[in-house]
C-alpha cells in the first residue's frame, strides 16, 4: 500500500509540475518570474499529488470507511487543496474567485456524494455479483 | 503406490505437482486428503492460559492485525494470538489459500460463503461461520485468480 501510494504521489507530482509549467509558458510567456516562484509551483504539485495521488487512491482502493466519511474527507481536502493551489499560483486570482468558494464547496460535496455513494454502491454490487459467480 | 520426487525450478514455491497414470485418477481425492493432513502446524498462543498450541492452517478462518500481534480465529470458534505483525504472517502463509482483504485482515479462501454489497456502498465477504469482513477494492483483483 505505502509503495503504491508513494508511486502515485510522484507520478501526479511530476505531471502537475509539468502541466502548470506548460500553462505558464503558454499564457504568461512574456512575463518574468522570480526564482522563488518555482517553490510555489512545487507547492501546487505537492498539493495535487497529496490530493489526487494519495488521498483518493487511499479512500477508494485501500480504506473501507463509511461513504459519509469518504465524502466529508475528500470534499473538504479537495476544496482546501484547490484554494491553496490557486493562492500559490496567484494571490490576485485567489481574491478574484473568493466569492465563489461556498458554491464550489457545495458542488464538491454533490460530486463526491455521487462518486463515493451512488457510483461506489453500483460498483460494489457489480463486483460482489462477479465474485459470487467465480465462487460457484 | 510408489512415489518419486523431482524438482522443477520454474514452479511456484508453495506448489506441488502430482502426476499419475490415468487409471489412478479415482484415487486423486484420497491422495489430496493424505497430503493436506501433512500440512505444517502453526504454533499460536492460547490467550486464556498463555500456553503455546499447535493448530492446522486449514482450520483458520481469519487472521486480524492487533498492534504488533495477530488474532487468529479458527473454525471451532476459538481465538488465538500469534506474535508476529500481519505483513510477516502474510509472507509465511500459503498464498493459494490465504488472501489479504483489507489493511488489517487475511482470510482463508476455503471458508468463504459469499460476497455481498452492503447498504453503505462497501463489499463484504461472509465466511462459513457467519462472520463477515469488509473487502478493500484494491484486494478484490486478488480473488479472481484464487477462487476460480
Amino acid at each position: 500500500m505505502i509503495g503504491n501510494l508513494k508511486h502515485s504521489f510522484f507520478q501526479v507530482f511530476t505531471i502537475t509540475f509539468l502541466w502548470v509549467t506548460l500553462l505558464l509558458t503558454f499564457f504568461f510567456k512574456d512575463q518574468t518570474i522570480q526564482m522563488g516562484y518555482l517553490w510555489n509551483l512545487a507547492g501546487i504539485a505537492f498539493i495535487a499529488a497529496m490530493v489526487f495521488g494519495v488521498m483518493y487512491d487511499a479512500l477508494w482502493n485501500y480504506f473501507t470507511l463509511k461513504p459519509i466519511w469518504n465524502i466529508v474527507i475528500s470534499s473538504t481536502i479537495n476544496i482546501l487543496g484547490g484554494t491553496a493551489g490557486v493562492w500559490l499560483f496567484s494571490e490576485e486570482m485567489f481574491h478574484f474567485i473568493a466569492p465563489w468558494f461556498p458554491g464550489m464547496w457545495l458542488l464538491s460535496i454533490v460530486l463526491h456524494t455521487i462518486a463515493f455513494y451512488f457510483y461506489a454502491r453500483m460498483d460494489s454490487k457489480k463486483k460482489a455479483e462477479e465474485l459470487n459467480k467465480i465462487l460457484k | 503406490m510408489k512415489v518419486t520426487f523431482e524438482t522443477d525450478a520454474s514452479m511456484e514455491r508453495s506448489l506441488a505437482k502430482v502426476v499419475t497414470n490415468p487409471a489412478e485418477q479415482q484415487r486423486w481425492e484420497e491422495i489430496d486428503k493424505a497430503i493436506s493432513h501433512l500440512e505444517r502446524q502453526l504454533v499460536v498462543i492460547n490467550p486464556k492460559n498463555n500456553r503455546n498450541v499447535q493448530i492446522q492452517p486449514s482450520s483458520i478462518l481469519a487472521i486480524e492485525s492487533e498492534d504488533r500481534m495477530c488474532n487468529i480465529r479458527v473454525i471451532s470458534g476459538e481465538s488465538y494470538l500469534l506474535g508476529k505483525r500481519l505483513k510477516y504472517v502474510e509472507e509465511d502463509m500459503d498464498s493459494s489459500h490465504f488472501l489479504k482483504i483489507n489493511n488489517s485482515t487475511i482470510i482463508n479462501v476455503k471458508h468463504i460463503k459469499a460476497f455481498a454489497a452492503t447498504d453503505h456502498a462497501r463489499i463484504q465477504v461472509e465466511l462459513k461461520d457467519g462472520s463477515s469482513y469488509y473487502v478493500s477494492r484494491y484486494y478484490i483483483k486478488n480473488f479472481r485468480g484464487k477462487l476460480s
Side-chain angles (χ1 to χ4, degrees), chain A residues 61-62 64 123-124 130 132, chain B residues 115 121-122 136-138 144:
Chain A
N61 284 318
Y62 295 99
T64 52
D123 180 69
S124 301
E130 202 180 299
N132 281 326
Chain B
F115 291 91
R122 291 181 286 187
S136 298
R137 280 181 172 79
Y138 176 79
R144 292 192 179 107

Side-chain angles (χ1 to χ4, degrees), chain B residues 36-46 51-64 70-74 79-86 88-94 98 106 108:
Chain B
S36 55
H37 272 296
L38 299 172
E39 70 179 334
R40 202 162 45 102
Q41 299 277 306
L42 190 70
V43 179
V44 292
I45 305 159
N46 185 343
R51 284 188 181 161
N52 283 355
V53 183
Q54 284 198 334
I55 59 167
Q56 282 201 319
S58 59
S59 70
I60 297 171
L61 279 167
I63 305 166
E64 295 162 83
C70 286
N71 178 37
I72 294 184
R73 288 183 46 247
V74 294
S79 283
Y80 298 102
L81 289 171
L82 185 62
K84 271 185 189 177
R85 282 176 173 272
L86 194 74
Y88 300 121
V89 176
E90 190 187 6
E91 286 166 12
D92 290 348
M93 299 308 274
D94 179 358
F98 289 90
I106 293 171
N108 186 343

Side-chain angles (χ1 to χ4, degrees), chain A residues 17-31 89:
Chain A
F17 196 92
L18 293 171
W19 177 244
V20 178
T21 305
L22 184 80
L23 289 178
L24 282 167
T25 316
F26 199 74
F27 292 107
F28 301 94
K29 56 175 170 278
D30 300 328
Q31 215 169 314
F89 185 80

Side-chain angles (χ1 to χ4, degrees), chain B residues 98-131:
Chain B
F98 289 90
L99 266 188
K100 199 170 182 184
I101 56 161
N102 60 45
N103 290 335
S104 59
T105 317
I106 293 171
I107 60 162
N108 186 343
V109 292
K110 282 195 165 184
H111 297 300
I112 294 173
K113 188 178 157 191
F115 291 91
T118 69
D119 296 339
H120 291 291
R122 291 181 286 187
I123 301 156
Q124 236 177 13
V125 60
E126 291 171 35
L127 301 182
K128 285 171 182 169
D129 71 329
S131 60

Side-chain angles (χ1 to χ4, degrees), chain B residues 3-53:
Chain B
V3 180
T4 59
F5 287 93
E6 286 175 25
T7 57
D8 182 352
S10 66
M11 278 177 73
E12 273 180 61
R13 266 197 67 170
S14 59
L15 191 72
K17 188 175 167 186
V18 180
V19 184
T20 67
N21 184 290
E24 299 282 4
Q25 195 161 345
Q26 70 257 28
R27 296 188 64 193
W28 282 5
E29 205 174 321
E30 55 184 274
I31 294 169
D32 185 36
K33 270 183 189 167
I35 293 169
S36 55
H37 272 296
L38 299 172
E39 70 179 334
R40 202 162 45 102
Q41 299 277 306
L42 190 70
V43 179
V44 292
I45 305 159
N46 185 343
K48 291 171 188 167
N49 53 21
N50 263 346
R51 284 188 181 161
N52 283 355
V53 183

